[in-house]
Amino acid sequence: MKAPSTARRRHLTGLLVLALLGSAPAAWAQATPYPDKPVKLVVPYPPGGPTDIVARVVAQKLQDALGQPFVVENRPGAGGNPGAEAVARSTPDGYTLVVATTAHAINPSLFSKLSYQLMKDFAPISQLTAGPLVIVAHPALPANNVKELIALAKSKSGGLNFGSSGNGQSTHLSAELFSAMAGVKMAHVPYKGSAPALTDVMAGQTDLMFDTMLSAMPHVKAGKLKALAVTSAQRSPVAPDVPTVAEGGLPGYEAIAWNGLLAPAGTPAPVVAKLNAELKKVLESPDVKQRFEAQGFTPMWNSPADYRAFMQAEVDKWAKVVKTSGATVD
């Protein structure tokens, strides 16, 4: 057999080198499986709130499963936008994630200028939770159900007022949706968080509030507030005796508060897939289910594609509410 010429040998050697170089990234990827260093979970709200509680439960479970620290970093302010923007601008390697909420689906319609785009700048991983709000009022308010609340709002000179945890939050827009569907006018009184808003409702300074069950139900159980209805399509196992808004006389009404996990757009698909698969195990574990349900949340896992579709539906839904209410934040 005739030996290859010098030129041909050089050509074959070059091809071999290129092949080895081409396989290097794959070999490196196999040698360094994700994650191989701490992962940061940005919570764009203060510590101790519903989103923070969800994030810390999930972070601990992911840390246990994947063997690397999942560190929660609270970056509150401006409707959750600064924290979301920071993650959108971070390196898309799976080591910086953000826990998104209903507010992030509301913000594109509410804020005239945003430095990020929810549906373009993030890679959805999975939803985490969903849960109703509960309409609470001072025990002396002369309305004990939805029908009576609507009648009172229509009859009272100047209407009723409602508190919220801030402009554009689900506690604000869920009440605006209620007002629009019920054909009533209620004045919005924004606060810096649920706690001060609930304090004024308990004092009778503010008529009512649509708040998370985690924040409001302890005060209901203590007799400082009364619960008129929950905002989900079905009753909550946390308060099975409290009817839904739809049951109470406003058919078709539904508003939920949710959390989900997002990575920066461009995060490698295998990383997103791995996190999604681990979250399925986390959210289906009995202890997580029990812990979340005790606080009024339902664990909600879905595929990245389904979570993206869910977020788009939420963006579209709340855009209509924002337009009807005329709410804006500069």
Side-chain angles (χ1 to χ4, degrees), residues 12 14 45 49 52 63 82 137 155 157 161 195 199 201 203 205 217-218 262 283 285:
L12 291 173
Y45 299 99
D52 183 67
Q63 177 172 307
S155 66
S157 177
N161 60 45
T199 297
V201 176
Q205 300 296 322
M217 288 309 294
L262 302 174
L283 297 171
S285 62

Side-chain angles (χ1 to χ4, degrees), residues 265-328:
T267 299
V271 171
V272 171
K274 186 167 188 176
L275 287 168
N276 180 268
E278 291 299 330
L279 282 173
K280 189 174 192 295
K281 299 173 189 175
V282 168
L283 297 171
E284 289 180 350
S285 62
D287 59 325
V288 170
K289 281 187 175 181
Q290 183 178 17
R291 186 166 179 181
F292 282 174
E293 288 173 357
Q295 299 175 51
F297 305 129
T298 299
M300 295 292 293
W301 174 88
N302 44 27
S303 70
D306 286 345
Y307 182 35
R308 177 178 291 279
F310 169 80
M311 286 199 303
Q312 186 63 65
E314 285 285 284
V315 169
D316 295 342
K317 171 184 176 176
W318 292 112
K320 295 175 183 176
V321 178
V322 169
K323 184 176 180 179
T324 300
S325 69
T328 58

Side-chain angles (χ1 to χ4, degrees), residues 60-289:
Q60 184 61 55
K61 287 292 185 179
L62 288 175
Q63 177 172 307
D64 294 344
L66 295 174
Q68 289 290 340
F70 276 70
V71 182
V72 173
E73 179 182 297
N74 297 92
R75 299 190 63 166
N81 288 323
E85 179 191 358
V87 175
R89 302 289 174 254
S90 67
T91 303
D93 56 7
Y95 289 95
T96 307
L97 312 172
V98 64
V99 181
T101 71
T102 315
H104 291 100
I106 295 170
N107 289 346
S109 301
L110 189 71
F111 287 80
S112 57
K113 294 181 181 179
L114 281 181
S115 56
Y116 68 92
Q117 296 184 57
L118 180 67
M119 302 307 298
K120 291 184 178 181
D121 291 339
F122 294 100
I125 298 172
S126 175
Q127 194 175 342
L128 300 175
T129 64
L133 302 178
V134 57
I135 306 176
V136 291
H138 188 277
L141 188 78
N144 295 304
N145 54 53
V146 169
K147 286 184 178 178
E148 291 179 0
L149 180 63
I150 293 172
L152 180 64
K154 289 181 176 178
S155 66
K156 188 175 180 181
S157 177
L160 298 173
N161 60 45
F162 70 92
S164 81
S165 57
N167 276 314
Q169 301 297 306
S170 58
T171 55
H172 169 202
L173 272 297
S174 58
E176 297 287 6
L177 177 61
F178 179 93
S179 296
M181 292 182 66
V184 299
K185 292 288 186 181
M186 296 195 298
H188 176 217
V189 184
Y191 292 80
K192 292 182 178 180
S194 288
L198 286 172
T199 297
D200 273 8
V201 176
M202 287 186 283
Q205 300 296 322
T206 307
D207 292 320
L208 65 140
M209 183 176 181
F210 288 57
D211 198 22
T212 64
M213 300 193 77
L214 175 65
S215 300
M217 288 309 294
H219 300 298
V220 173
K221 292 176 181 178
K224 297 177 181 179
L225 293 170
K226 61 181 175 183
L228 305 184
V230 293
T231 63
S232 49
Q234 291 83 34
R235 294 193 183 197
S236 169
V238 176
D241 295 333
V242 179
T244 67
V245 173
E247 284 181 298
L250 201 58
Y253 180 93
E254 181 182 11
I256 60 168
W258 54 266
N259 293 292
L261 196 61
L262 302 174
T267 299
V271 171
V272 171
K274 186 167 188 176
L275 287 168
N276 180 268
E278 291 299 330
L279 282 173
K280 189 174 192 295
K281 299 173 189 175
V282 168
L283 297 171
E284 289 180 350
S285 62
D287 59 325
V288 170
K289 281 187 175 181

